[in-house]
Amino acid sequence: MNDHIRPQPGILDIALYEGGKASVAGVTNIVKLSSNENPFGPSDKAKDAFQRSVHQLHRYPSTDHAALRDAIGETHGLDPARVICGVGSDEIIHFLCQAYAGPKDEVVYTEHGFLMYRISAMAAGATPVEVPERERTTDVDAILRSCNRRTKLVFIANPNNPTGTMISAAEVERLANGLPPQAILVLDGAYAEYVEGFDAGAALIEARDNVVMTRTLSKIYGLGGLRIGWGYGPKHIIDVLNRIRGPFNLSNTQLETAEAAVRDQDYVAKCRADNARMRHWLAEALAELGVPSDTSMANFVLARFASADEAEACDTFLQSQGVIVRRVASYKLPHCLRITVGDAASCRRVAHAIGQFKGAK
């Protein structure tokens, strides 16, 4: 390493993010249940828009994302002028840390929260502050106790990943009311669409000037491969974020496919219903095998084993059977495996394989 060329302090302390595995050496007929993807993929309308976009590959995309913001606004009853679009919700999270947190500032997140909160905080030079959860659920009192004059951002995912748990709108409002005046509450709604009738905090944002939400099209919309997300918040915050957003951060293909996906809410409703049915089935099937999980409000279940050794052994066995799930030791849950809710065949396959593992012990 060149001793004269060094990154900013803290950058080398960031552990690389590792996504869910997608393959197992020497094993075919793989079922991937490690990344919380929609097993049915995107809607036909989104696919058609993707295919049509090939005719505009030589054109620069719009810099204001107006058509997509309008679609989001119309679909969710939001002001399009206060929507910002990004490369997945990850980019919005990064913008928030870059714009509002730096050296000597603190960024608060929960014990089992999304790893990008910590990574983005450290990338901005801020200090990440991890707060304990209560039985794998966001603890509002613990968060409020952790806040001080250095707190600039508080991140919670609701529903949370990888636990699947969520807190009520009243608890979220209590959290927003209790924050110090310089702090922004960020509500990560990556899995919000899986909760029937849930606004992900939109009403609270309209009533306050210190709350922002982030959303993604990578989950229920089935567009993880295109990396599209958005955020919504007070005008003064969105204006700041747009000042650091790259003018062409989303391509024509991303924008046109996303707009078609957002407008196809019949498909979203179908995916939500299918997910709820199979999520219940999978949780019940695992419970009958002696593998409990908390009530999940997302598109996965967090299967709890007796020990870290048992969880790792089960994961190894599943891989040998061509079933890939997610180890979550990096989320301080070494005794758990996060299992995406797939289609009916995938759910039955993973439950059967776990049954084989438990029976062979």
Side-chain angles (χ1 to χ4, degrees):
M1 177 183 292
N2 187 325
D3 290 337
H4 300 286
I5 300 176
R6 298 184 181 185
Q8 292 283 359
I11 299 295
L12 293 180
D13 294 328
I14 297 173
L16 293 176
Y17 182 89
E18 294 185 20
K21 292 184 64 172
S23 62
V24 179
V27 180
T28 57
N29 190 22
I30 292 291
V31 171
K32 184 189 176 191
L33 302 174
S34 59
S35 297
N36 300 341
E37 297 153 331
N38 185 336
F40 307 108
S43 74
D44 288 341
K45 292 179 180 179
K47 292 177 185 176
D48 289 344
F50 179 89
Q51 292 174 337
R52 289 194 302 271
S53 74
V54 70
H55 302 295
Q56 297 296 321
L57 293 182
H58 59 303
R59 302 296 186 191
Y60 276 98
S62 73
T63 60
D64 63 6
H65 309 153
L68 176 54
R69 289 189 295 104
D70 285 344
I72 291 169
E74 292 170 20
T75 299
H76 297 286
L78 304 175
D79 178 2
R82 294 160 57 193
V83 173
I84 181 172
C85 301
V87 182
S89 55
D90 297 8
E91 189 173 39
I92 311 300
I93 291 167
H94 188 75
F95 288 160
L96 284 160
C97 289
Q98 184 181 357
Y100 289 101
K104 299 183 180 179
D105 294 330
E106 294 182 352
V107 175
V108 174
Y109 60 97
T110 65
E111 177 182 9
H112 305 306
F114 185 35
L115 294 177
M116 287 306 300
Y117 308 149
R118 175 182 176 86
I119 290 172
S120 294
M122 295 178 71
T127 301
V129 177
E130 181 184 290
V131 177
E133 296 180 9
R134 181 183 295 129
E135 295 184 352
R136 298 165 301 280
T137 302
T138 296
D139 185 336
V140 169
D141 291 320
I143 292 175
L144 292 176
R145 285 193 298 270
S146 75
C147 292
N148 55 54
R149 61 183 177 82
R150 294 184 296 275
T151 305
K152 292 299 180 65
L153 293 162
V154 174
F155 286 98
I156 67 166
N158 204 38
N160 189 39
N161 169 35
T163 63
T165 59
M166 68 181 296
I167 60 174
S168 68
E171 280 291 273
V172 174
E173 183 174 6
R174 185 165 74 87
L175 174 56
N177 289 338
L179 292 182
Q182 79 285 350
I184 299 170
L185 174 61
V186 183
L187 304 174
D188 182 345
Y191 299 91
E193 285 85 359
Y194 289 103
V195 184
E196 182 73 39
F198 181 45
D199 75 352
L204 186 63
I205 292 169
E206 302 296 2
R208 304 188 60 88
D209 65 358
N210 68 334
V211 183
V212 174
M213 71 174 169
T214 63
R215 305 286 285 271
T216 186
L217 276 72
S218 295
K219 303 305 178 186
I220 205 166
Y221 290 98
L223 295 175
L226 278 188
R227 311 303 302 124
I228 308 156
W230 57 277
Y232 186 70
K235 187 177 186 304
H236 69 96
I237 294 177
I238 299 304
D239 176 68
V240 169
L241 302 186
N242 272 317
R243 292 172 187 270
I244 58 175
R245 176 181 63 83
F248 302 111
N249 61 325
L250 291 180
S251 68
N252 281 322
T253 298
Q254 289 169 297
L255 292 168
E256 293 170 17
T257 307
E259 181 185 352
V262 167
R263 292 189 182 281
D264 193 355
Q265 288 298 305
D266 288 343
Y267 183 75
V268 171
K270 178 183 182 302
C271 291
R272 178 168 50 243
D274 288 344
N275 176 79
R277 182 177 66 256
M278 293 314 304
R279 180 180 63 201
H280 176 76
W281 183 92
L282 180 59
E284 289 290 313
L286 296 180
E288 291 176 3
L289 296 172
V291 181
S293 61
D294 297 313
T295 299
S296 173
M297 302 303 293
N299 68 334
F300 56 85
V301 296
L302 184 68
R304 302 199 306 273
F305 293 82
S307 66
D309 287 344
E310 185 185 28
E312 291 181 11
C314 183
D315 181 49
T316 299
F317 177 78
L318 290 176
Q319 290 185 47
S320 74
Q321 301 301 300
V323 178
I324 304 175
V325 299
R326 180 72 179 268
R327 293 189 188 185
V328 284
S330 60
Y331 284 93
K332 297 180 171 57
L333 293 162
H335 62 298
C336 299
L337 297 176
R338 191 190 69 189
I339 306 173
T340 302
V341 176
D343 58 16
S346 299
C347 288
R348 293 191 183 97
R349 183 168 166 183
V350 70
H352 177 70
I354 291 175
Q356 288 180 304
F357 167 78
K358 296 288 281 188
K361 289 177 61 183

